[in-house]
Amino acid sequence: MEINKVAVLGAGIMGAGITQVLARAGYTVAMRDLEQRFVDKGLATIRGNLERAVARGKLEAAAAAAVLARVRGTVDLKDAVADVDLVIEAVVEVMAIKQAVFQELDQLCPPRTLFASNTSGLSITEMAAVTKRPQQLIGMHFFNPVPVMQLVELIRGFETTDETFDCCRAVLEKAGKTPVEVREAPGFAVNRILCPMINEAIFVLAEGVAAAADIDRAMMLGANHPIGPLALADMVGLDTLLLVLEGLHRELGEDKYRPAPLLRKMVRAGHLGRKSGRGFYDYRK
Ligand code: CAA
């Protein structure tokens, strides 16, 4: 099956990034969020990224305009998904919400439509189980910032077919991404490794072993990471990080995944990283 029309649910950091990348690859994309102000913010992010690419001579102005013309922002779910080949959800990381979304999509979309979830680590099989097309649901885990990061984890749920997998792999390759195949497991491959590392950095900070800037400098200069773990936590969002760690802890039942109490406290305080202006660093200036 050939994919031409795509809908992306969620116009946040991930949803807008996914929309941009697919529209740039030539797909027609409907980007849907619950409120017009979220849609407008997502569209503004995409416009800003394209304008920067034009200013740096990496994209022709006409090509940027063509990319934008392929994107349609909307709050109307039915209108967004009525005739698409693929829906990618990038809504909040709560299983009950994702299941409700897929149940609704199952009613609204034609039988051919494939479903993908950009979840950071929740069970693809559990989402697929509430639909009548579990063979057509897959995990498509993009990395932040989506326009820059090469990798996408392509996750097979219990019933995902080869046809669904191959179709989605072709979409990602056309979009210039490098998919890796992952069999479903909590946190998949990357977050299973990455999030405990960031969590450990938070323990190191909380225990007073080293200051935040020094922890980050140490990992950049001593392990060749492009940015330090605490700066990365701020980029990912501390709430998202906490949800991933809680999922690993709950599902795998091992203490090594226990979220650092400081992380929990910061999330409770609303210090979520870049998106809220404060995290391990202050972004308000
Ligand atoms: N959106 C779009 N483009 C962006 C961007 C963003 N948010 N941030 C940077 N860029 C672009 C810049 O425009 C620039 O493009 P050009 O080269 O075409 O001019 C390029 O990226 C490099 O940017 P900078 O020179 O400003 O900055 P940098 O050299 O520090 O690189 C970075 C930025 C690539 C993001 C780098 O800091 C990095 O690799 N960070 C680590 C990212 C990472 O690990 N992400 C995974 C997070 S985990 C996750 O997402 C999974 C999960 O489920 C939790």
Side-chain angles (χ1 to χ4, degrees):
M1 176 180 142
E2 203 192 330
I3 306 285
N4 292 305
K5 290 193 227 164
V6 182
V8 175
L9 307 186
I13 302 172
M14 299 306 286
I18 295 166
T19 299
Q20 179 185 324
V21 161
L22 294 182
R24 205 167 159 175
Y27 294 100
T28 303
V29 189
M31 180 175 71
R32 190 262 181 176
D33 211 318
L34 294 171
E35 292 181 32
Q36 192 58 41
R37 64 195 169 106
F38 301 141
V39 173
D40 290 343
K41 195 165 175 216
L43 290 171
T45 302
I46 297 172
R47 205 172 296 118
N49 284 343
L50 293 172
E51 279 168 6
R52 206 171 50 235
V54 170
R56 292 192 189 182
K58 302 208 162 173
L59 187 67
E60 296 282 327
V67 173
L68 274 177
R70 283 193 285 274
V71 176
R72 187 164 56 88
T74 179
V75 292
D76 184 340
L77 180 64
K78 198 170 175 185
D79 172 56
V81 306
D83 185 33
V84 294
D85 307 307
L86 170 67
V87 182
I88 305 173
E89 72 78 19
V91 308
V92 63
E93 280 289 276
V94 177
M95 179 55 75
I97 294 178
K98 292 197 189 274
Q99 285 181 321
V101 165
F102 281 120
Q103 246 167 350
E104 203 172 353
L105 288 176
D106 213 13
Q107 306 292 323
L108 296 176
C109 295
R112 72 173 192 281
T113 307
L114 304 183
F115 294 163
S117 171
N118 177 54
T119 177
S120 305
L122 296 176
S123 168
I124 302 304
T125 303
E126 204 174 343
M127 293 174 211
V130 300
T131 74
K132 293 191 185 70
R133 56 183 98 182
Q135 325 85 288
Q136 287 168 235
L137 197 146
I138 196 164
M140 211 186 252
H141 183 211
F142 290 81
F143 290 79
N144 187 14
V146 178
V148 181
M149 300 300 284
Q150 194 64 49
L151 180 71
V152 179
E153 287 180 302
L154 205 46
I155 303 114
R156 285 181 186 271
F158 194 66
E159 296 196 51
T160 310
T161 58
D162 288 345
E163 196 191 347
T164 300
F165 187 90
D166 293 343
C167 233
C168 292
R169 181 169 50 196
V171 170
L172 294 171
E173 284 173 349
K174 187 172 164 195
K177 298 298 182 194
T178 304
V180 295
E181 179 174 355
V182 178
R183 289 191 199 89
E184 181 183 315
F188 312 136
V190 172
N191 281 340
R192 171 88 173 265
I193 301 166
L194 181 68
C195 294
M197 190 272 292
I198 298 175
N199 196 37
E200 202 59 35
I202 303 171
F203 274 112
V204 168
L205 175 70
E207 288 168 19
V209 177
D214 284 335
I215 292 169
D216 279 351
R217 203 172 292 129
M219 292 305 286
M220 289 168 73
L221 301 182
N224 261 6
H225 290 192
I227 58 173
L230 300 174
L232 184 54
D234 281 354
M235 210 175 100
V236 166
L238 302 198
D239 49 346
T240 302
L241 178 65
L242 180 60
L243 285 169
V244 173
L245 284 163
E246 283 176 338
L248 287 171
H249 195 209
R250 189 175 56 244
E251 293 268 338
L252 298 168
E254 292 192 51
D255 279 351
K256 65 179 176 181
Y257 302 114
R258 180 173 71 98
L262 175 60
L263 173 63
R264 200 178 290 285
K265 198 187 285 181
M266 288 175 74
V267 170
R268 285 179 177 154
H271 293 197
L272 306 180
R274 282 180 182 271
K275 65 182 165 192
S276 72
R278 284 167 87 183
F280 294 102
Y281 299 94
D282 195 336
Y283 303 92
R284 289 170 299 175
K285 300 167 283 285

